Amino acid sequence: MEFDDLQQTRIAKLQTLRDTGRDPYPPRSERTITNAEAVAEFDRREGETHTVVGRLMLKRGQGKIAFLTVRDGTGDIQFFVQQNNVGEVAMQVVKALLDLGDIVQATGTLMKTRNGEVSIDVTDIRLLSKALSPPPEKWHGLQDIEKRYRQRYLDLIANDEARQVAVQRSRILEATRAFMNGRGFLEVETPTLQPLYGGAAARPFVTHHNTLDQDLYLRIADELYLKRLIVGGLERVYEICKDFRNEGIDRQHNPEFTMMECYQAYADYHAMMDIVEGLCAHVATTVIGSLTVTYGDHTVDLRPPWPRIPLRDAVKDACGIDYVAITDTEELRRRAREAGAEIPSDMVRARIIDELLKAFVRPSLIAPTFLIDYPVELSPLAKTKPGDPTVVERFQPFIAGLELGNAYTELNDPLDQLARFEEQARQRAQGDMEAMPVDEDFVTALMHGMPPTGGLGVGIDRMVMFFTNQPSIRDVILFPALRSTEGR
RNA sequence: GGGCCUGUAGCUCAGCGGUAGAGCAGUGGACUUUUAAUCCAUUGGUCGUGGGUUCGAAUCCCACCGGGCUCACCA
């Protein structure tokens, strides 16, 4: 490892500190009050002696005094260092050996400066940890997008918004758990390493267990395991976990992402819509403090209930194509192309409908909306609508153009499930690598009887994107997937 | 994978065929109430990498390594 001039300078200071008997990395620290508390409670704490800590963010020397802005996890406070109080030696240390980025601790009297800034009138100041690399620019922060993702700690140090998003994400997860627990759901854990993957249309990551000498898949969903628990009589279960999908990376997709899946026995997809509405409203009120949320150019009202629009009607309204009335696939393809959609000649009927959804319906789904009742072909785990074997009871919630999740009335007919798996296998044989493999073990579970069940998956990252008004999933995942660079 | 954009000092950015620049940070100095402190002086670069065009390339061209947007793919 090589050190540049700025680092060499700091390493020299480090040596000076050691040579003069000062440990640049002492094992112990003290804190009697957080910075935020000191500022918030100043009126009744003025004059008290306190010890505060944090990272040195700004340094304003002025002869025999110095003002240091120090930031801990709660906020900023100012150190007011006067040579008369700390002595000439300590003053020299502050001026010559402390650098921006260092972690420091100071003891002194809580006071306000002439200009009203809450400060510690320092009597003792010490270094807790010497930073050997300089922090990002103090005013512009860290702008380089790549560096923000690769070295997130710098982003968190320099950019307030990055910190806010990280905190909000945690609060959203907390609110989600509280909401689900409050509805009687049991939080469970199912395997990340699965001998057979399933529950979504996606390509998996493959790994290998040495002792078993067996390939395993990182889960693309936990659906099939959670439904086994429903079979087992756990009537309301949910899991919040990472799923892994070996696919493209873009503003709304990361190869590992966080999903909340829940299943409720003796319920259907309407109950799942109630949960989505309730969950979003709960998160909005507890985390945002309002049912009105702004995302990008849009401001949406999350107040339930949300419109529940059959996909057929939504597509018909958006582009005038009634795909139910057009039974001939070639006719449907022709009409879709006329409307302006790009439809490859080998695209199957269900994908054409999906394309119509993406091209014409989705862009207009700004207000919270449920699209319901999807073609059966794309939903091998969902129950068909009574009286219509071509449509399943499935819905997707959309807010501000974001697709937040997926849900259905779960298929609990074991023989129908087996037939759907076999149809998937046929599509797989025809080259659709995202079609699901046959999971006979899951069918075996269904053969023991699964109650009528509603199931739901919510993309937590997208929910966080929405509630924190972030345009990219990389902004809500602390360490997003990036190509590794040479020499790292 | 395609198209468009992008990579210059530790950080934020200018320069876009003719001597490599600014602000912040750093270094030296002045300063006992600053708020991105101020003032004086000053160090710092294989202009992502490698080729090419040219009398001359940070600048134009090609390839490669990263990144962003977008389309495709994908919940």
Side-chain angles (χ1 to χ4, degrees):
Chain A
M1 195 164 177
E2 290 180 12
F3 304 117
D4 63 28
D5 288 352
L6 295 174
Q7 292 167 329
Q8 295 286 5
T9 302
R10 286 173 181 235
I11 289 170
K13 293 181 183 182
L14 185 75
Q15 196 54 49
T16 303
L17 286 162
R18 288 202 164 112
D19 291 347
T20 54
R22 295 174 175 85
D23 184 355
Y25 302 102
R28 239 62 73 187
S29 60
E30 271 182 55
R31 165 153 67 177
T32 63
I33 193 169
T34 65
N35 294 346
E37 284 167 349
V39 172
E41 299 170 6
F42 176 79
D43 286 345
R44 65 185 171 89
R45 293 191 179 279
E46 181 174 9
E48 292 181 2
T49 296
H50 278 290
T51 301
V52 296
V53 296
R55 183 183 299 277
L56 181 53
M57 303 301 291
L58 294 171
K59 193 170 155 187
R60 296 177 290 279
Q62 187 148 358
K64 295 183 174 60
I65 62 170
F67 299 92
L68 312 181
T69 301
V70 173
R71 176 173 302 165
D72 72 1
T74 66
D76 293 357
I77 197 165
Q78 180 171 261
F79 291 6
F80 180 32
V81 188
Q82 305 183 73
Q83 184 165 310
N84 287 349
N85 287 354
V86 300
E88 195 172 339
V89 174
M91 197 69 212
Q92 275 310 113
V93 170
V94 168
K95 289 181 72 173
L97 299 178
L98 289 190
D99 290 300
L100 299 187
D102 288 354
I103 310 294
V104 294
Q105 168 184 315
T107 302
T109 309
L110 204 52
M111 52 89 74
K112 260 187 187 171
T113 57
R114 199 176 288 167
N115 291 346
E117 178 97 6
V118 173
S119 307
I120 291 285
D121 190 8
V122 176
T123 53
D124 181 60
I125 181 167
R126 57 189 61 182
L127 178 65
L128 293 181
S129 181
K130 185 70 191 161
L132 297 182
S133 293
E137 215 259 0
K138 64 184 178 185
W139 185 244
H140 298 93
L142 184 64
Q143 299 297 321
D144 186 281
I145 290 175
E146 185 178 356
K147 191 156 284 207
R148 286 183 47 219
Y149 296 152
R150 288 194 194 277
Q151 295 177 272
R152 182 68 87 182
Y153 45 90
L154 294 179
D155 191 28
L156 293 167
I157 289 170
N159 300 327
D160 190 55
E161 189 174 19
R163 263 195 313 283
Q164 297 297 338
V165 169
V167 170
Q168 294 285 70
R169 180 175 180 121
S170 175
R171 301 230 163 102
I172 289 166
L173 280 165
E174 186 182 5
T176 299
R177 287 199 163 90
F179 178 83
M180 297 307 292
N181 294 341
R183 290 218 167 189
F185 282 82
L186 192 69
E187 183 170 13
V188 297
E189 292 168 279
T190 67
T192 300
L193 295 173
Q194 303 179 349
L196 197 59
Y197 63 94
R203 292 155 72 174
F205 288 92
V206 188
T207 186
H208 187 79
H209 191 289
N210 290 338
T211 307
L212 297 177
D213 189 22
Q214 175 190 343
D215 281 345
L216 292 170
Y217 302 96
L218 274 63
R219 64 174 154 216
I220 61 172
D222 30 4
E223 169 153 0
L224 301 183
Y225 283 91
L226 290 174
K227 286 200 279 203
R228 284 172 170 92
L229 298 180
I230 295 290
V231 170
L234 300 180
E235 293 187 2
R236 298 184 182 203
V237 293
Y238 77 101
E239 180 168 22
I240 296 174
C241 67
K242 284 277 185 72
D243 289 343
F244 306 84
R245 298 187 184 175
N246 205 337
E247 285 162 354
I249 299 174
D250 61 30
R251 259 180 30 261
Q252 295 189 42
H253 298 87
N254 196 64
E256 59 178 291
F257 63 102
T258 303
M259 179 98 101
M260 193 276 287
E261 283 196 41
C262 68
Y263 293 82
Q264 179 175 346
Y266 310 106
D268 61 13
Y269 73 151
H270 286 290
M272 297 300 104
M273 290 185 237
D274 295 343
I275 286 179
V276 173
E277 287 172 346
L279 173 63
C280 287
H282 177 71
V283 168
T285 47
T286 57
V287 178
I288 308 295
S290 167
L291 282 170
T292 304
V293 179
T294 296
Y295 185 72
D297 297 332
H298 307 297
T299 297
V300 301
D301 185 351
L302 297 175
R303 197 181 322 273
W306 305 349
R308 305 178 177 191
I309 304 172
L311 180 59
R312 174 190 184 181
D313 298 347
V315 171
K316 195 159 60 177
D317 289 349
C319 62
I321 298 173
D322 183 357
Y323 62 78
V324 174
I326 304 172
T327 52
D328 179 59
T329 300
E330 287 312 313
E331 168 74 3
L332 182 62
R333 192 189 317 278
R334 192 180 60 76
R335 292 286 303 277
R337 284 173 171 165
E338 277 175 10
E342 285 194 32
I343 310 291
S345 296
D346 59 346
M347 190 178 257
V348 299
R349 179 183 176 79
R351 297 262 177 213
I352 295 174
I353 295 168
D354 202 37
E355 188 58 34
L356 292 174
L357 162 62
K358 285 177 191 164
F360 302 115
V361 181
R362 242 174 105 166
S364 61
L365 293 175
I366 303 307
T369 306
F370 295 112
L371 287 188
I372 69 172
D373 299 344
Y374 282 62
V376 65
E377 297 95 318
L378 290 176
S379 314
L381 302 168
K383 184 177 280 190
T384 52
K385 257 186 116 61
D388 187 351
T390 67
V391 170
V392 292
E393 292 194 344
R394 173 187 173 187
F395 75 84
Q396 293 189 290
F398 292 89
I399 305 179
L402 283 173
E403 182 184 305
L404 281 192
N406 186 28
Y408 22 84
T409 302
E410 301 298 334
L411 178 57
N412 61 345
D413 175 340
L415 299 182
D416 190 356
Q417 182 66 78
L418 183 59
R420 304 265 199 105
F421 273 141
E422 284 165 350
E423 172 56 28
Q424 289 285 305
R426 273 190 289 279
Q427 290 180 19
R428 197 176 176 76
Q430 286 167 24
D432 181 359
M433 293 315 290
E434 278 141 16
M436 296 179 197
V438 179
D439 191 337
E440 289 190 6
D441 189 74
F442 176 64
V443 175
T444 299
L446 287 187
M447 293 193 54
H448 287 281
M450 184 171 89
T453 298
L456 164 69
V458 175
I460 295 293
D461 308 282
R462 290 184 184 172
M463 199 162 82
V464 176
M465 283 169 66
F466 170 69
F467 281 111
T468 59
N469 194 19
Q470 296 299 309
S472 170
I473 198 169
R474 296 186 194 91
D475 295 318
V476 302
I477 293 175
L478 284 171
F479 300 99
L482 292 177
R483 194 183 302 272
S484 58
T485 56
E486 211 179 353
R488 278 192 85 232

mmCIF file of all heavy atoms in Angstrom, chain A residues 144-173:
data_model
loop_
_atom_site.group_PDB
_atom_site.id
_atom_site.type_symbol
_atom_site.label_atom_id
_atom_site.label_comp_id
_atom_site.label_asym_id
_atom_site.label_seq_id
_atom_site.Cartn_x
_atom_site.Cartn_y
_atom_site.Cartn_z
ATOM 1 N N ASP A 144 -18.891 12.498 -6.251
ATOM 2 C CA ASP A 144 -18.577 11.410 -7.175
ATOM 3 C C ASP A 144 -19.454 10.190 -6.880
ATOM 4 O O ASP A 144 -19.315 9.554 -5.826
ATOM 5 C CB ASP A 144 -17.099 11.054 -7.036
ATOM 6 C CG ASP A 144 -16.665 10.039 -8.065
ATOM 7 O OD1 ASP A 144 -16.945 8.850 -7.865
ATOM 8 O OD2 ASP A 144 -16.052 10.450 -9.071
ATOM 9 N N ILE A 145 -20.366 9.892 -7.797
ATOM 10 C CA ILE A 145 -21.371 8.864 -7.528
ATOM 11 C C ILE A 145 -20.724 7.504 -7.275
ATOM 12 O O ILE A 145 -21.090 6.784 -6.354
ATOM 13 C CB ILE A 145 -22.361 8.784 -8.720
ATOM 14 C CG1 ILE A 145 -23.222 10.036 -8.739
ATOM 15 C CG2 ILE A 145 -23.247 7.555 -8.598
ATOM 16 C CD1 ILE A 145 -24.141 10.122 -9.918
ATOM 17 N N GLU A 146 -19.745 7.183 -8.085
ATOM 18 C CA GLU A 146 -19.082 5.889 -7.917
ATOM 19 C C GLU A 146 -18.429 5.779 -6.546
ATOM 20 O O GLU A 146 -18.537 4.770 -5.850
ATOM 21 C CB GLU A 146 -18.043 5.713 -9.025
ATOM 22 C CG GLU A 146 -17.398 4.353 -8.998
ATOM 23 C CD GLU A 146 -16.407 4.176 -10.122
ATOM 24 O OE1 GLU A 146 -16.296 5.089 -10.962
ATOM 25 O OE2 GLU A 146 -15.754 3.128 -10.157
ATOM 26 N N LYS A 147 -17.753 6.855 -6.155
ATOM 27 C CA LYS A 147 -17.088 6.830 -4.850
ATOM 28 C C LYS A 147 -18.101 6.756 -3.714
ATOM 29 O O LYS A 147 -17.877 6.098 -2.703
ATOM 30 C CB LYS A 147 -16.203 8.078 -4.709
ATOM 31 C CG LYS A 147 -15.288 8.020 -3.515
ATOM 32 C CD LYS A 147 -14.065 8.897 -3.690
ATOM 33 C CE LYS A 147 -13.052 8.276 -4.621
ATOM 34 N NZ LYS A 147 -11.670 8.682 -4.380
ATOM 35 N N ARG A 148 -19.247 7.415 -3.889
ATOM 36 C CA ARG A 148 -20.291 7.351 -2.854
ATOM 37 C C ARG A 148 -20.740 5.911 -2.632
ATOM 38 O O ARG A 148 -21.034 5.510 -1.519
ATOM 39 C CB ARG A 148 -21.495 8.207 -3.266
ATOM 40 C CG ARG A 148 -21.253 9.710 -3.131
ATOM 41 C CD ARG A 148 -22.503 10.494 -3.488
ATOM 42 N NE ARG A 148 -23.648 9.918 -2.815
ATOM 43 C CZ ARG A 148 -24.858 9.784 -3.347
ATOM 44 N NH1 ARG A 148 -25.093 10.188 -4.568
ATOM 45 N NH2 ARG A 148 -25.827 9.236 -2.657
ATOM 46 N N TYR A 149 -20.823 5.123 -3.707
ATOM 47 C CA TYR A 149 -21.270 3.739 -3.575
ATOM 48 C C TYR A 149 -20.141 2.824 -3.093
ATOM 49 O O TYR A 149 -20.352 1.939 -2.281
ATOM 50 C CB TYR A 149 -21.798 3.213 -4.915
ATOM 51 C CG TYR A 149 -23.031 3.935 -5.415
ATOM 52 C CD1 TYR A 149 -23.301 4.016 -6.776
ATOM 53 C CD2 TYR A 149 -23.921 4.529 -4.527
ATOM 54 C CE1 TYR A 149 -24.436 4.673 -7.242
ATOM 55 C CE2 TYR A 149 -25.043 5.187 -4.982
ATOM 56 C CZ TYR A 149 -25.298 5.254 -6.351
ATOM 57 O OH TYR A 149 -26.414 5.899 -6.803
ATOM 58 N N ARG A 150 -18.944 3.042 -3.637
ATOM 59 C CA ARG A 150 -17.844 2.137 -3.285
ATOM 60 C C ARG A 150 -17.322 2.398 -1.881
ATOM 61 O O ARG A 150 -16.868 1.493 -1.203
ATOM 62 C CB ARG A 150 -16.683 2.293 -4.280
ATOM 63 C CG ARG A 150 -16.977 1.723 -5.645
ATOM 64 C CD ARG A 150 -15.706 1.600 -6.458
ATOM 65 N NE ARG A 150 -15.996 1.370 -7.859
ATOM 66 C CZ ARG A 150 -16.270 0.172 -8.393
ATOM 67 N NH1 ARG A 150 -16.292 -0.888 -7.615
ATOM 68 N NH2 ARG A 150 -16.530 0.053 -9.670
ATOM 69 N N GLN A 151 -17.330 3.665 -1.481
ATOM 70 C CA GLN A 151 -16.856 4.025 -0.135
ATOM 71 C C GLN A 151 -17.989 4.728 0.591
ATOM 72 O O GLN A 151 -17.933 5.919 0.861
ATOM 73 C CB GLN A 151 -15.617 4.932 -0.238
ATOM 74 C CG GLN A 151 -14.418 4.232 -0.857
ATOM 75 C CD GLN A 151 -13.241 5.176 -1.001
ATOM 76 O OE1 GLN A 151 -13.102 5.868 -2.000
ATOM 77 N NE2 GLN A 151 -12.390 5.217 0.017
ATOM 78 N N ARG A 152 -19.023 3.955 0.904
ATOM 79 C CA ARG A 152 -20.238 4.544 1.465
ATOM 80 C C ARG A 152 -19.952 5.321 2.742
ATOM 81 O O ARG A 152 -20.628 6.295 3.055
ATOM 82 C CB ARG A 152 -21.274 3.453 1.720
ATOM 83 C CG ARG A 152 -22.577 3.983 2.249
ATOM 84 C CD ARG A 152 -23.339 4.818 1.227
ATOM 85 N NE ARG A 152 -24.182 3.984 0.384
ATOM 86 C CZ ARG A 152 -24.923 4.452 -0.609
ATOM 87 N NH1 ARG A 152 -24.929 5.746 -0.901
ATOM 88 N NH2 ARG A 152 -25.645 3.628 -1.328
ATOM 89 N N TYR A 153 -18.919 4.882 3.497
ATOM 90 C CA TYR A 153 -18.627 5.598 4.752
ATOM 91 C C TYR A 153 -18.304 7.064 4.482
ATOM 92 O O TYR A 153 -18.646 7.932 5.273
ATOM 93 C CB TYR A 153 -17.471 4.919 5.497
ATOM 94 C CG TYR A 153 -16.295 4.545 4.624
ATOM 95 C CD1 TYR A 153 -15.242 5.442 4.428
ATOM 96 C CD2 TYR A 153 -16.248 3.327 3.974
ATOM 97 C CE1 TYR A 153 -14.175 5.111 3.624
ATOM 98 C CE2 TYR A 153 -15.174 2.984 3.159
ATOM 99 C CZ TYR A 153 -14.140 3.883 2.979
ATOM 100 O OH TYR A 153 -13.089 3.576 2.156
ATOM 101 N N LEU A 154 -17.674 7.346 3.331
ATOM 102 C CA LEU A 154 -17.391 8.742 3.013
ATOM 103 C C LEU A 154 -18.677 9.490 2.696
ATOM 104 O O LEU A 154 -18.852 10.649 3.056
ATOM 105 C CB LEU A 154 -16.427 8.826 1.821
ATOM 106 C CG LEU A 154 -15.016 8.298 2.066
ATOM 107 C CD1 LEU A 154 -14.176 8.429 0.794
ATOM 108 C CD2 LEU A 154 -14.360 9.048 3.209
ATOM 109 N N ASP A 155 -19.581 8.815 1.999
ATOM 110 C CA ASP A 155 -20.883 9.390 1.692
ATOM 111 C C ASP A 155 -21.615 9.726 2.986
ATOM 112 O O ASP A 155 -22.188 10.804 3.143
ATOM 113 C CB ASP A 155 -21.663 8.368 0.860
ATOM 114 C CG ASP A 155 -22.939 8.932 0.255
ATOM 115 O OD1 ASP A 155 -22.985 10.163 0.006
ATOM 116 O OD2 ASP A 155 -23.874 8.149 0.016
ATOM 117 N N LEU A 156 -21.557 8.794 3.939
ATOM 118 C CA LEU A 156 -22.263 8.997 5.205
ATOM 119 C C LEU A 156 -21.642 10.123 6.018
ATOM 120 O O LEU A 156 -22.334 10.889 6.678
ATOM 121 C CB LEU A 156 -22.240 7.695 6.021
ATOM 122 C CG LEU A 156 -23.048 6.544 5.425
ATOM 123 C CD1 LEU A 156 -22.719 5.229 6.121
ATOM 124 C CD2 LEU A 156 -24.536 6.825 5.504
ATOM 125 N N ILE A 157 -20.313 10.234 5.949
ATOM 126 C CA ILE A 157 -19.632 11.310 6.668
ATOM 127 C C ILE A 157 -19.986 12.662 6.058
ATOM 128 O O ILE A 157 -20.285 13.620 6.761
ATOM 129 C CB ILE A 157 -18.095 11.120 6.618
ATOM 130 C CG1 ILE A 157 -17.681 9.938 7.500
ATOM 131 C CG2 ILE A 157 -17.368 12.395 7.062
ATOM 132 C CD1 ILE A 157 -16.217 9.538 7.314
ATOM 133 N N ALA A 158 -19.969 12.697 4.726
ATOM 134 C CA ALA A 158 -20.015 14.001 4.062
ATOM 135 C C ALA A 158 -21.424 14.452 3.691
ATOM 136 O O ALA A 158 -21.678 15.650 3.596
ATOM 137 C CB ALA A 158 -19.147 13.967 2.797
ATOM 138 N N ASN A 159 -22.318 13.515 3.450
ATOM 139 C CA ASN A 159 -23.620 13.901 2.899
ATOM 140 C C ASN A 159 -24.749 13.566 3.863
ATOM 141 O O ASN A 159 -25.032 12.411 4.144
ATOM 142 C CB ASN A 159 -23.849 13.197 1.554
ATOM 143 C CG ASN A 159 -22.780 13.576 0.536
ATOM 144 O OD1 ASN A 159 -22.281 14.702 0.542
ATOM 145 N ND2 ASN A 159 -22.419 12.641 -0.307
ATOM 146 N N ASP A 160 -25.398 14.610 4.313
ATOM 147 C CA ASP A 160 -26.454 14.451 5.291
ATOM 148 C C ASP A 160 -27.583 13.567 4.753
ATOM 149 O O ASP A 160 -28.146 12.745 5.469
ATOM 150 C CB ASP A 160 -27.000 15.832 5.678
ATOM 151 C CG ASP A 160 -27.923 15.751 6.868
ATOM 152 O OD1 ASP A 160 -27.484 15.220 7.903
ATOM 153 O OD2 ASP A 160 -29.077 16.182 6.761
ATOM 154 N N GLU A 161 -27.880 13.729 3.471
ATOM 155 C CA GLU A 161 -28.994 12.966 2.904
ATOM 156 C C GLU A 161 -28.727 11.459 2.964
ATOM 157 O O GLU A 161 -29.638 10.670 3.226
ATOM 158 C CB GLU A 161 -29.246 13.394 1.452
ATOM 159 C CG GLU A 161 -30.526 12.797 0.894
ATOM 160 C CD GLU A 161 -30.868 13.323 -0.495
ATOM 161 O OE1 GLU A 161 -29.968 13.849 -1.172
ATOM 162 O OE2 GLU A 161 -32.034 13.175 -0.898
ATOM 163 N N ALA A 162 -27.491 11.063 2.732
ATOM 164 C CA ALA A 162 -27.158 9.636 2.786
ATOM 165 C C ALA A 162 -27.424 9.083 4.177
ATOM 166 O O ALA A 162 -27.940 7.975 4.338
ATOM 167 C CB ALA A 162 -25.695 9.428 2.400
ATOM 168 N N ARG A 163 -27.064 9.877 5.185
ATOM 169 C CA ARG A 163 -27.333 9.450 6.571
ATOM 170 C C ARG A 163 -28.833 9.330 6.807
ATOM 171 O O ARG A 163 -29.311 8.364 7.396
ATOM 172 C CB ARG A 163 -26.739 10.467 7.549
ATOM 173 C CG ARG A 163 -25.384 10.110 8.095
ATOM 174 C CD ARG A 163 -25.025 10.956 9.313
ATOM 175 N NE ARG A 163 -25.276 12.374 9.133
ATOM 176 C CZ ARG A 163 -24.501 13.190 8.433
ATOM 177 N NH1 ARG A 163 -23.415 12.732 7.858
ATOM 178 N NH2 ARG A 163 -24.798 14.456 8.310
ATOM 179 N N GLN A 164 -29.568 10.344 6.355
ATOM 180 C CA GLN A 164 -31.019 10.338 6.558
ATOM 181 C C GLN A 164 -31.652 9.101 5.941
ATOM 182 O O GLN A 164 -32.532 8.472 6.530
ATOM 183 C CB GLN A 164 -31.647 11.595 5.928
ATOM 184 C CG GLN A 164 -31.187 12.900 6.549
ATOM 185 C CD GLN A 164 -31.581 13.031 8.001
ATOM 186 O OE1 GLN A 164 -32.510 12.373 8.461
ATOM 187 N NE2 GLN A 164 -30.859 13.844 8.754
ATOM 188 N N VAL A 165 -31.228 8.746 4.743
ATOM 189 C CA VAL A 165 -31.812 7.592 4.057
ATOM 190 C C VAL A 165 -31.542 6.318 4.846
ATOM 191 O O VAL A 165 -32.425 5.477 5.018
ATOM 192 C CB VAL A 165 -31.266 7.478 2.618
ATOM 193 C CG1 VAL A 165 -31.657 6.141 2.002
ATOM 194 C CG2 VAL A 165 -31.796 8.629 1.760
ATOM 195 N N ALA A 166 -30.312 6.181 5.358
ATOM 196 C CA ALA A 166 -29.965 4.982 6.123
ATOM 197 C C ALA A 166 -30.848 4.881 7.369
ATOM 198 O O ALA A 166 -31.335 3.805 7.719
ATOM 199 C CB ALA A 166 -28.491 5.005 6.515
ATOM 200 N N VAL A 167 -31.055 6.012 8.021
ATOM 201 C CA VAL A 167 -31.890 6.021 9.224
ATOM 202 C C VAL A 167 -33.342 5.719 8.869
ATOM 203 O O VAL A 167 -34.009 4.903 9.516
ATOM 204 C CB VAL A 167 -31.774 7.387 9.939
ATOM 205 C CG1 VAL A 167 -32.806 7.509 11.046
ATOM 206 C CG2 VAL A 167 -30.367 7.572 10.497
ATOM 207 N N GLN A 168 -33.826 6.360 7.814
ATOM 208 C CA GLN A 168 -35.212 6.149 7.402
ATOM 209 C C GLN A 168 -35.463 4.696 7.020
ATOM 210 O O GLN A 168 -36.518 4.142 7.301
ATOM 211 C CB GLN A 168 -35.566 7.056 6.206
ATOM 212 C CG GLN A 168 -35.569 8.528 6.506
ATOM 213 C CD GLN A 168 -36.791 8.956 7.295
ATOM 214 O OE1 GLN A 168 -36.917 8.621 8.461
ATOM 215 N NE2 GLN A 168 -37.686 9.695 6.660
ATOM 216 N N ARG A 169 -34.487 4.110 6.366
ATOM 217 C CA ARG A 169 -34.648 2.709 5.978
ATOM 218 C C ARG A 169 -34.882 1.830 7.211
ATOM 219 O O ARG A 169 -35.763 0.986 7.235
ATOM 220 C CB ARG A 169 -33.421 2.219 5.213
ATOM 221 C CG ARG A 169 -33.560 0.762 4.801
ATOM 222 C CD ARG A 169 -32.427 0.238 3.944
ATOM 223 N NE ARG A 169 -32.710 -1.152 3.634
ATOM 224 C CZ ARG A 169 -32.838 -1.655 2.405
ATOM 225 N NH1 ARG A 169 -32.645 -0.887 1.366
ATOM 226 N NH2 ARG A 169 -33.140 -2.914 2.227
ATOM 227 N N SER A 170 -34.087 2.069 8.228
ATOM 228 C CA SER A 170 -34.241 1.300 9.459
ATOM 229 C C SER A 170 -35.615 1.535 10.076
ATOM 230 O O SER A 170 -36.278 0.612 10.546
ATOM 231 C CB SER A 170 -33.134 1.678 10.439
ATOM 232 O OG SER A 170 -33.340 1.034 11.668
ATOM 233 N N ARG A 171 -36.058 2.783 10.047
ATOM 234 C CA ARG A 171 -37.371 3.100 10.643
ATOM 235 C C ARG A 171 -38.494 2.449 9.851
ATOM 236 O O ARG A 171 -39.499 2.022 10.412
ATOM 237 C CB ARG A 171 -37.573 4.625 10.648
ATOM 238 C CG ARG A 171 -36.492 5.352 11.421
ATOM 239 C CD ARG A 171 -37.065 6.338 12.435
ATOM 240 N NE ARG A 171 -36.041 6.693 13.408
ATOM 241 C CZ ARG A 171 -35.360 7.840 13.378
ATOM 242 N NH1 ARG A 171 -35.631 8.741 12.453
ATOM 243 N NH2 ARG A 171 -34.449 8.093 14.287
ATOM 244 N N ILE A 172 -38.321 2.380 8.529
ATOM 245 C CA ILE A 172 -39.349 1.763 7.688
ATOM 246 C C ILE A 172 -39.432 0.265 7.995
ATOM 247 O O ILE A 172 -40.522 -0.298 8.102
ATOM 248 C CB ILE A 172 -39.050 2.028 6.196
ATOM 249 C CG1 ILE A 172 -39.296 3.508 5.887
ATOM 250 C CG2 ILE A 172 -39.898 1.140 5.295
ATOM 251 C CD1 ILE A 172 -38.735 3.963 4.552
ATOM 252 N N LEU A 173 -38.275 -0.355 8.154
ATOM 253 C CA LEU A 173 -38.274 -1.782 8.503
ATOM 254 C C LEU A 173 -38.916 -2.006 9.868
ATOM 255 O O LEU A 173 -39.693 -2.943 10.062
ATOM 256 C CB LEU A 173 -36.838 -2.319 8.506
ATOM 257 C CG LEU A 173 -36.275 -2.635 7.126
ATOM 258 C CD1 LEU A 173 -34.763 -2.811 7.179
ATOM 259 C CD2 LEU A 173 -36.920 -3.892 6.560
#
